[in-house]
Amino acid sequence: QAVLTQPPSVSGAPGQRVIISCTGSSSNIGAGYDVHWYQQLPGKAPKPLIYVNSMRPSGVPDRFSGSKFGTSASLVITGLQAEDEADYHCQSYDSDLSGQVFGTGTKVTVL
Amino acid sequence: QVHLLESGPGRVKPSETLSLTCVVSGGSIGDLFWSWVRQPPGKGLEWIGFLFYGGTTSYNPSLENRVTISVDMSQNQLSLDLTSVTAADTAVYYCVRLRGGGDGRIDSWGQGTLVTVSS
């Protein structure tokens, strides 16, 4: 089944920058479909964080940024804060699946 | 602001049918696309399928022969039926709204409902 690959975990000290990668294939990200990111706090439903590769919904701090290149995308958290400790999921569309495809998820730990 | 609220049995026995509903408030279910997503305990998110009122549906091929997503316009409600469940279907099930079509982004999530498959 099509899936987007993310590192299982990343960590950083408060104030540091962390980068989460999301690697797809020619049937999803590489085909030009947009990438979206969601933040999931412990015990909660995911929340939109970045949409259409680099756009932030209203209320999302500008320390969160996204980009897409080729068959991959990245989420960058600049100036890591304690409240950023959560799971992060990328999502795109896959033409082979004819539906949404999610990343494997990344747990961010603030040291 | 649209609000999505899932409800279901909580526990389903193996080989039986899992049935969930999602009540949509603050928006019409006749607009946009709607989808179900699930998350097994401690694991990542999995797309189940989506529906656009008027007949367009698409299901995850891994579940296609067991899943049906439907809509009740009179109740502004989305439904999910998953037949012949096994322990592998134990998960939190989320009702979500898609913006931008079937290939779009999720802009609203329900709170989720945990379904455990166990005898």
Side-chain angles (χ1 to χ4, degrees), chain A residues 61-76:
Chain A
D62 61 6
R63 65 178 182 274
F64 293 96
S65 62
S67 63
K68 186 186 97 165
F69 184 79
T71 58
S72 296
S74 294
L75 173 70
V76 179

Side-chain angles (χ1 to χ4, degrees), chain A residues 36, chain B residues 32-33 97-101 103-107:
Chain A
H36 320 289
Chain B
L32 301 176
F33 283 69
R97 186 177 75 173
L98 298 175
R99 184 169 291 276
D103 59 347
R105 62 185 171 102
I106 300 170
D107 73 342

Side-chain angles (χ1 to χ4, degrees), chain A residues 1-110:
Chain A
Q1 176 172 325
V3 67
L4 306 177
T5 302
Q6 298 178 234
S9 63
V10 298
S11 61
Q16 285 191 329
R17 184 177 79 150
V18 295
I19 301 173
I20 301 171
S21 60
C22 173
T23 302
S25 67
S26 58
S27 61
N28 42 67
I29 300 175
Y33 293 107
D34 293 324
V35 178
H36 320 289
W37 292 89
Y38 306 93
Q39 179 192 59
Q40 186 175 27
L41 297 171
K44 300 293 186 182
K47 178 188 97 167
L49 189 68
I50 296 288
Y51 67 96
V52 187
N53 309 315
S54 60
M55 306 295 291
R56 279 189 309 276
S58 174
V60 172
D62 61 6
R63 65 178 182 274
F64 293 96
S65 62
S67 63
K68 186 186 97 165
F69 184 79
T71 58
S72 296
S74 294
L75 173 70
V76 179
I77 310 175
T78 304
L80 194 63
Q81 297 188 8
E83 60 260 37
D84 299 333
E85 195 159 279
D87 292 327
Y88 293 82
H89 308 272
C90 61
Q91 177 244 316
S92 185
Y93 180 87
D94 190 275
S95 56
D96 289 346
L97 203 61
S98 296
Q100 284 87 40
V101 63
F102 288 96
T104 46
T106 298
K107 181 174 181 59
V108 170
T109 301
V110 182

Side-chain angles (χ1 to χ4, degrees), chain B:
Chain B
Q1 171 130 356
V2 70
H3 182 68
L4 312 175
L5 184 62
E6 307 91 342
S7 61
R11 185 178 298 272
V12 180
K13 293 181 178 179
S15 81
E16 293 189 344
T17 296
L18 178 165
S19 293
L20 301 176
T21 59
C22 171
V23 175
V24 177
S25 56
S28 172
I29 206 162
D31 301 331
L32 301 176
F33 283 69
W34 304 86
S35 185
W36 287 94
V37 173
R38 69 181 183 179
Q39 185 174 34
K43 296 188 177 180
L45 300 165
E46 181 183 29
W47 170 67
I48 297 172
F50 67 69
L51 170 146
F52 178 76
Y53 177 70
T56 301
T57 56
S58 183
Y59 299 124
N60 189 319
S62 68
L63 301 169
E64 190 167 25
N65 61 344
R66 297 195 293 133
V67 66
T68 303
I69 296 174
S70 58
V71 64
D72 184 337
M73 279 291 289
S74 66
Q75 301 289 327
N76 220 38
Q77 181 175 289
L78 186 72
S79 296
L80 170 71
D81 289 311
L82 184 65
T83 63
S84 305
V85 297
T86 69
D89 296 310
T90 293
V92 175
Y93 286 75
Y94 295 102
C95 169
V96 303
R97 186 177 75 173
L98 298 175
R99 184 169 291 276
D103 59 347
R105 62 185 171 102
I106 300 170
D107 73 342
S108 297
W109 294 74
Q111 65 182 21
T113 185
L114 174 63
V115 178
T116 302
V117 178
S118 170
S119 54

